[in-house]
Amino acid sequence: MVKRDEWDAIVVGSGMGGLVCAAYLAVSGRRVLVLEQHDVAGGNSHVFRRRRAYEFDVGVHYLGDCGPGGLLPAIFSGLGLEGRVTYREMDRGGFDRIVLPGLTVDVPVGWEAYTKRLTEALPSQREGIERFTRICAAVGAETRSMMLSDGEPSLADLLARTPVTAEWGRRTLSELFDHCGLDPRARTVLAAQSPNYGMGPRQATVSTHAAVTDHYLRGAYYPEGGGQVLAAALVEALEAHGGELRTKSRVERILVEDGRVTGVGMTGGDVHSAPLVVSNADYSRTVLDLVGEEHFGRRVVSRTRQAKMALPLATLYIATDKELPARPNANLWWYRDDDIEAYYEQVAKETISPLPFLFASFASLKDPGTAAVCPPGHSNFQVMTLCPPGYEYWGVDKGPAAGERYRRNEGYQRRKAELTEAMLNTAEEALGPFRENIVHLETATPITHERYTLATGGTPYGLAEWGGTGSRPDTRTSIEGLHMVGTNTRHGTGITGSAAGGMALAGQLLGRGLMAEVHRGALLGDPDLLPERAEGWDPLAVSRGSGRQGARGLARIG
């Protein structure tokens, strides 16, 4: 029997953008339903557990701008969640360590300190580095200022308030490198953290690079208790204010009649009706599959079909029964060579042997003493590298989102084993020996990522190009009542970018400048409605939604 129910708003997908938007709609009096096909909410912020001893973050490796006046704390505080998410700051003198042959640079907090550190490391490039950081700092400041402004400015006002962005924002990072006369080694150091957005200097815009860099130079942090606490707190706010999260609930179709959205149809036949649907699902899958291209104009369909995705990642999740040698509380960005533009060309051509790049994130350093991370005396860390785009490299045909069963595919298993071995070998080059102490090792490929998030290309970073360099779709669509949110929209990638996009959309729908309001201290949610957190509070259980918290199959620690 087909079940039908009615809501004020339905959010498809529970990544950070979708949850933030849903929670703000709920605290503003809307009846909101969030539907998530996975077992838990959170998208790229979710965690998984192994051996009842180790918890691994999928996508939260560090967060920027979480100190006083920070964007993410303001977003949570506006929902009444102040104090429910706390942040541990990483090393202010070097939260990212960049290692090239013969050169190590520790990235400190603040544009001035960053510029000084770079010019000391590369004195022959001083003039070019100072010009580069001056432009990027200005673009970053303008971007943040506009994010915190009330309402949407006119074009004339926008140009007047963002002159450096108007000149440089849509140009590529390589163009700025050329303008500053920087050599390959300096370019590599300056773009070393570009895997944070999955694009090389010839594809990434100055706006993207500047916004991400500015974000972290305001301070690098890690959420105490791991990434799942972010999603769990948002679910608490949503449900406390009358909203509902349903996990293991896959939307098969977004329903459209006469140019306006009417609700969603579920796998199994149930229908949920609403005059407002927000898709936090993959943009391309939303347009081409969930809605159907017949409901969009030719230009949107053409751009979507021809879009290029940011590069995906492969990740090793590693636990050892011994602590790693003493090191700073910093991520590691390790490069075999010092020509980053050549590196991205290698990835595109699938010539990544020997492995040219690794990123390492050390959860047991960032969140010491948290029981779920690992037992005392053990280590928990992740090692990542960018991968060639597309299925061919992995020996896969259509991918798991289309229903392909790939895990017993011999070509896939062979490629996965080869890359795992290459990543382990390179990680020991970078970190020293640790293999004999491994007690858990697990590899996630872009195909794994697609299986859990249904993201096109298996990338956590969304669209790289949608109709031109730096172009991305807005949250609005041509279909009345249908909006988009998440890492594919123009508001940017990462946890904070997605959360800011969710805020921007909620503000549009409510007719309020929400980001500016909450940054000034406005409180929309009612903290008194939030549930008490008993001893043993588990963010993973909360993130299943109240209807499934006690369902079987929840992995636990201890």
Side-chain angles (χ1 to χ4, degrees):
M1 179 177 175
V2 174
K3 295 180 181 178
R4 297 178 181 271
D5 53 14
E6 296 186 0
W7 301 84
D8 295 329
I10 295 171
V11 179
V12 181
S14 66
M16 196 54 47
L19 283 178
V20 167
C21 183
Y24 270 95
L25 292 177
V27 301
S28 301
R30 306 285 183 93
R31 292 185 65 248
V32 184
L33 172 65
V34 179
L35 298 167
E36 169 57 49
Q37 57 94 26
H38 188 31
D39 184 52
V40 294
N44 288 316
S45 71
H46 86 264
V47 303
F48 65 93
R49 296 166 177 167
R50 294 292 185 263
R51 300 176 183 268
R52 299 183 65 88
Y54 307 102
E55 182 174 279
F56 296 102
D57 267 294
V58 170
V60 179
H61 302 111
Y62 63 153
L63 304 167
D65 196 16
C66 291
L71 292 180
L72 201 61
I75 291 171
F76 279 75
S77 293
L79 293 166
L81 295 169
E82 185 172 5
R84 292 209 162 207
V85 178
T86 54
Y87 306 90
R88 296 181 184 269
E89 188 168 15
M90 296 171 65
D91 193 331
R92 291 182 65 83
F95 57 84
D96 274 339
R97 172 164 285 182
I98 299 167
V99 176
L100 278 61
L103 179 67
T104 297
V105 178
D106 290 325
V107 177
V109 172
W111 280 102
E112 185 177 344
Y114 176 57
T115 302
K116 184 174 184 290
R117 188 71 54 83
L118 291 172
T119 55
E120 288 173 349
L122 300 162
S124 68
Q125 302 291 296
R126 175 181 297 274
E127 183 178 346
I129 289 171
E130 289 177 344
R131 183 182 303 169
F132 178 89
T133 57
R134 186 167 57 250
I135 290 170
C136 286
V139 172
E142 290 174 358
T143 300
R144 192 173 190 271
S145 175
M146 293 307 299
M147 192 182 301
L148 294 173
S149 63
D150 288 303
E152 293 193 22
S154 66
L155 179 59
D157 188 38
L158 180 64
L159 293 174
R161 293 168 60 183
T162 59
V164 184
T165 304
E167 181 180 2
W168 282 103
R170 294 291 295 274
R171 296 162 78 174
T172 67
L173 199 55
S174 284
E175 289 179 82
L176 182 54
F177 285 154
D178 291 343
H179 173 74
C180 297
L182 294 165
D183 68 15
R185 195 166 176 82
R187 295 175 185 222
T188 302
V189 173
L190 287 162
Q193 297 130 302
S194 57
N196 266 329
Y197 47 79
M199 290 177 274
R202 293 194 177 102
Q203 189 175 43
T205 63
V206 173
S207 276
T208 295
H209 178 81
V212 172
T213 305
D214 182 75
H215 174 67
Y216 288 114
L217 289 181
R218 293 177 182 275
Y221 299 80
Y222 186 79
E224 188 172 0
Q228 197 68 51
V229 301
L230 301 172
L234 292 170
V235 171
E236 287 180 327
L238 169 76
E239 295 184 335
H241 291 84
E244 185 174 342
L245 165 68
R246 296 181 188 175
T247 51
K248 299 198 79 171
S249 298
R250 184 164 178 172
V251 172
E252 188 172 88
R253 193 79 171 172
I254 295 174
L255 305 174
V256 177
E257 294 179 12
D258 298 324
R260 66 165 296 115
V261 76
T262 62
V264 300
M266 308 297 294
T267 300
D270 290 350
V271 174
H272 305 298
S273 300
L276 170 64
V277 173
V278 175
S279 179
N280 189 200
D282 178 86
Y283 184 86
S284 297
R285 297 194 195 284
T286 299
V287 171
L288 303 177
D289 300 329
L290 292 180
V291 177
E293 61 185 75
E294 67 273 14
H295 294 290
F296 292 93
R298 289 184 188 175
R299 186 165 174 266
V300 169
V301 173
S302 176
R303 282 186 167 199
T304 303
R305 288 200 172 279
Q306 296 174 31
K308 294 182 180 178
M309 306 303 294
L311 291 171
L313 291 161
T315 304
L316 302 185
Y317 297 96
I318 302 170
T320 62
D321 61 6
K322 180 180 179 182
E323 292 183 358
L324 292 173
R327 57 177 300 108
N329 184 8
N331 302 307
L332 174 66
W333 303 84
W334 183 92
Y335 288 86
R336 189 175 299 281
D337 299 308
D338 57 5
D339 187 347
I340 198 163
E341 289 171 318
Y343 161 60
Y344 278 96
E345 290 177 2
Q346 285 180 266
V347 176
K349 295 176 181 177
E350 301 184 3
T351 54
I352 57 171
S353 181
L355 208 64
F357 159 75
L358 281 181
F359 170 79
S361 171
F362 306 92
S364 45
L365 287 180
K366 294 174 185 176
D367 203 10
T370 295
V373 174
C374 62
H378 291 219
S379 290
N380 173 330
F381 61 104
Q382 290 85 58
V383 173
M384 286 154 269
T385 195
L386 292 174
C387 297
Y391 294 136
E392 185 176 351
Y393 178 79
W394 297 100
V396 174
D397 183 20
K398 295 179 180 179
E404 181 176 0
R405 298 180 180 276
Y406 66 93
R407 284 185 284 176
R408 294 185 181 180
N409 178 317
E410 290 185 6
Y412 172 78
Q413 292 292 349
R414 183 167 56 251
R415 175 66 76 185
K416 181 178 177 180
E418 290 171 354
L419 187 59
T420 298
E421 185 68 15
M423 291 176 72
L424 284 171
N425 289 337
T426 307
E428 289 199 306
E429 281 187 66
L431 301 174
F434 59 81
R435 279 202 200 209
E436 65 181 25
N437 294 106
I438 291 176
V439 289
H440 184 79
L441 173 64
E442 190 167 344
T443 305
T445 71
I447 311 303
T448 315
H449 189 86
E450 180 184 312
R451 175 182 161 214
Y452 284 103
T453 68
L454 306 182
T456 297
T459 175
Y461 304 121
L463 292 161
E465 297 179 24
W466 186 76
T469 299
S471 294
R472 280 177 160 224
D474 193 8
T475 53
R476 299 180 178 91
T477 76
S478 58
I479 298 171
E480 186 178 350
L482 176 65
H483 298 262
M484 306 281 193
V485 74
T487 196
N488 287 284
T489 67
R490 66 180 178 84
H491 294 281
T493 62
I495 297 298
T496 304
S498 295
M503 285 288 286
L505 176 55
Q508 289 171 12
L509 296 171
L510 297 169
R512 303 176 64 169
L514 284 181
M515 183 65 86
E517 287 186 39
V518 301
H519 195 257
R520 290 194 296 260
L523 180 63
L524 280 71
D526 184 352
D528 292 337
L529 296 178
L530 297 170
E532 294 289 332
R533 290 180 175 178
E535 185 178 352
W537 178 81
D538 187 349
L540 200 60
V542 172
S543 299
R544 293 173 123 192
S546 58
R548 294 193 62 252
Q549 277 195 34
R552 296 177 61 184
L554 180 69
R556 298 189 184 275
I557 297 293

